[in-house]
Amino acid sequence: MTNPTACLLIIGNEVLSGRTQDANLKYIATRLGEIGIPLREARVIPDVRETIVATINEVRAKFDHVFTTGGIGPTHDDITSECVAEAFGVPWEPHPEAWSRLEAHYARQTPPGDFNAARQRMATMPRGAVLIDNIVSIAPGFTMGNVHVLAGVPRIMQAMFEALAPTLKGGAPVVSATVHANGLMEGRIAEGLAAIQARYGDVEIGSYPYYRPGGGGVAVVAKGTDADAVKQAAHDVLVFLRACGAMPVEGEPA
Amino acid sequence: MTNPTACLLIIGNEVLSGRTQDANLKYIATRLGEIGIPLREARVIPDVRETIVATINEVRAKFDHVFTTGGIGPTHDDITSECVAEAFGVPWEPHPEAWSRLEAHYARQTPPGDFNAARQRMATMPRGAVLIDNIVSIAPGFTMGNVHVLAGVPRIMQAMFEALAPTLKGGAPVVSATVHANGLMEGRIAEGLAAIQARYGDVEIGSYPYYRPGGGGVAVVAKGTDADAVKQAAHDVLVFLRACGAMPVEGEPA
């Protein structure tokens, strides 16, 4: 069985300008691997309407799932939700359930918050949106077709992702096995690794140099959905690195 | 004058799988802003030949500059260089200057390293490539047309970027001014910020909530190439936040 695929759109000028270090890609990529929906592409795009609409329409046709982060707050630069409506060609309108959740949330605050026009935008969604719960700050994300719209703030994004996760049907989980060896240089092991890769068509073998005070080495990662093949490939790597005169160790370098 | 634009391609399965946290986007974005070549898009793509070739050809037509990181080492999963050759439709062949630098480098090592077939791949480049110096680990990056091919390891990437930077002709630098206020919620200031944004067409005003132990607030960033307008917009934000009853402070929250 082929696994479903995913694309992540990171929406926000603050990431593209270098102000903010993205912290969502790594989380989403890791969790999607566990669920068996490998992330095949990620894009960082600005808060520009035409760019967001065109990109959503391009990638929702190309991947089984699209996840977006960012741009669903109350301010003028939060335009993801209305762009999703435009991409799907549906009205952007108050969502009754989101509306009542937010109205109740602001009424509960001490002193009561104002459910003003800006906050009402967070309860305005493409027609047909299915809510994604937000236990951190109430304002929900949503799913529209195969597009899952999440917050940009990492702890809110993570709460939304975990609320959504049980509904995502993945294939076999992506598993990986790492072997590393201090003191080895990639250039010495490259040909042997290529030969191992050639024997395992369904396993991705990646080679990653690392640097540590006092010396570095190479970490070799075998990854795939066939757990037995991944294990066997990692074993072959271990034997090969030992034959190169190194003292390879299973797992990531500390 | 309109500024030239840039796109970044982060090439590597290890970023898409969540194994590795990208550390290059923030550096490149920040430096490009200073140089006046704002980054308009970034993509993370896998070590897959057809994907790399198609993406390079798409974005080099769309942006003034394309920067790539990753995939130029000696191992079988390092295929960026040959993909650039394929994208440009030119031979991938030994580059005499890169070849002699690397040959000399390995000969200098104690004991002498082997300039083997895998390492020779790092001296093999698209015909017409212009070298980008690498003072950290010798093996050069290169520029092909408007595509600048850099290493993935951050300190090597940074050395290459700074070797390249003096040759990049930018427009006006992108400058920014930040005002933050503890205790404010975005939903309270959204309408006022939108009104300020409406007065400054050439300034991007972004609103970013932050969370700190003991309370959070909102940081508002004004950004653009017109330094006077950026300064004036940030001043208007300061006055507005004060009118909301907050104690706004210039600069990023600590």
Side-chain angles (χ1 to χ4, degrees), chain B residues 134-138 155-156 159:
Chain B
N134 169 4
I135 57 169
V136 174
S137 58
I138 310 306
R155 65 200 183 100
I156 303 175

Side-chain angles (χ1 to χ4, degrees), chain A residues 176-187 189-190 193 204-212 215-223 234 237-238 240-241 246-254, chain B residues 14 19-20 75-78 153:
Chain A
S176 71
T178 301
V179 174
H180 74 276
N182 289 331
L184 263 191
M185 297 180 71
E186 273 196 312
I189 61 170
L193 283 187
E204 281 173 7
I205 298 177
S207 165
Y208 307 109
Y210 58 85
Y211 304 89
R212 295 286 185 278
V218 181
V220 179
V221 179
K223 188 183 295 284
V237 169
L238 188 91
F240 164 64
L241 297 185
M247 301 275 278
V249 177
E250 292 179 44
E252 293 282 346
Chain B
E14 72 279 20
R19 175 187 186 265
T20 303
T75 55
H76 65 278
D77 54 339
D78 291 308
V153 174

